[in-house]
Amino acid sequence: MVTPITETVKRFFALAFVGAAGYKIYFEANGGQPFGKQMMEIKVVMDDGRDCTWGASIIRNLLLGFEGGLIAVIVIAVTDDSQRIGDLLGSTVVVRA
């Protein structure tokens, strides 16, 4: 049996995910720097140096939920530009701003 609280919690987490992903996608596609990246003085760009595109930002951020653990660490360690799986598929790289 599904309780109303369970449905409310599901909706809350779905809305939180969409909000967080939307925030990161928007700012990465418009200058490459959400607030945290501004503070760290880094930004996301395409692997050829152009500004990050909307499509690339969507790809790299939607994959965040599926990346993690030892596989992610290995991928970052073995790529020349320390890229995550989302960066590889989105053709992006994080650089000093």
Side-chain angles (χ1 to χ4, degrees), residues 71-83 88:
I71 293 173
V73 171
I74 292 169
V75 170
I76 291 168
V78 300
T79 57
D80 291 336
D81 294 321
S82 301
Q83 293 168 289
L88 294 170

Side-chain angles (χ1 to χ4, degrees), residues 10-72:
K10 286 180 184 177
R11 287 186 187 120
F12 171 79
F13 282 109
L15 184 60
F17 175 79
V18 168
Y23 163 80
K24 288 182 55 109
I25 290 166
Y26 176 81
F27 283 100
E28 286 180 1
N30 288 285
Q33 289 184 293
F35 181 70
K37 285 186 175 60
Q38 287 177 5
M39 297 299 296
M40 297 297 297
E41 298 182 352
I42 57 177
K43 68 179 182 175
V44 178
V45 296
M46 300 301 295
D47 57 11
D48 62 3
R50 293 179 295 128
D51 288 339
C52 184
T53 64
W54 280 90
S57 183
I58 290 168
I59 290 169
R60 76 181 306 274
N61 283 294
L62 290 183
L63 286 170
L64 269 176
F66 301 103
E67 292 180 287
L70 185 58
I71 293 173

